[in-house]
Amino acid sequence: MEVGRFLLVLGFLLVALGLVWLYAPWLLGWFGRLPGDIRIEREGFRFYFPLTSMVLVSLGLSLLFNLLLRWFR
């Protein structure tokens, strides 16, 4: 039963993120353009490594999963 609730909450969160991304992309326009994201553009070459953005995603997901696990215990 607990795993089912967890999957439902995760599914609703993914649907909400998908709807925001589809209908309000300007809300996520900052993502990938933070200080610390590495971008090198030259003629015929483009390298992009979103270091800071991925650290924020990792912290956010860790916080979310820890809160969900505490809620379902």
Side-chain angles (χ1 to χ4, degrees):
M1 185 74 147
E2 293 178 16
V3 174
R5 278 190 199 174
F6 177 74
L7 289 175
L8 278 174
V9 170
L10 184 62
F12 284 129
L13 290 174
L14 286 175
V15 167
L17 180 63
L19 288 172
V20 167
W21 204 330
L22 183 62
Y23 292 111
W26 63 89
L27 292 175
L28 298 174
W30 56 269
F31 186 74
R33 295 186 176 103
L34 296 172
D37 290 342
I38 299 170
R39 176 181 292 172
I40 301 172
E41 294 183 17
R42 297 190 179 139
E43 186 177 332
F45 176 76
R46 184 181 299 179
F47 178 76
Y48 180 65
F49 186 67
L51 182 65
T52 305
S53 298
M54 290 299 105
V55 168
L56 285 178
V57 167
S58 177
L59 288 172
L61 287 175
S62 294
L63 178 65
L64 176 69
F65 286 130
N66 280 322
L67 290 174
L68 287 174
L69 287 174
R70 288 177 190 233
W71 185 42
F72 287 119
R73 282 188 188 178

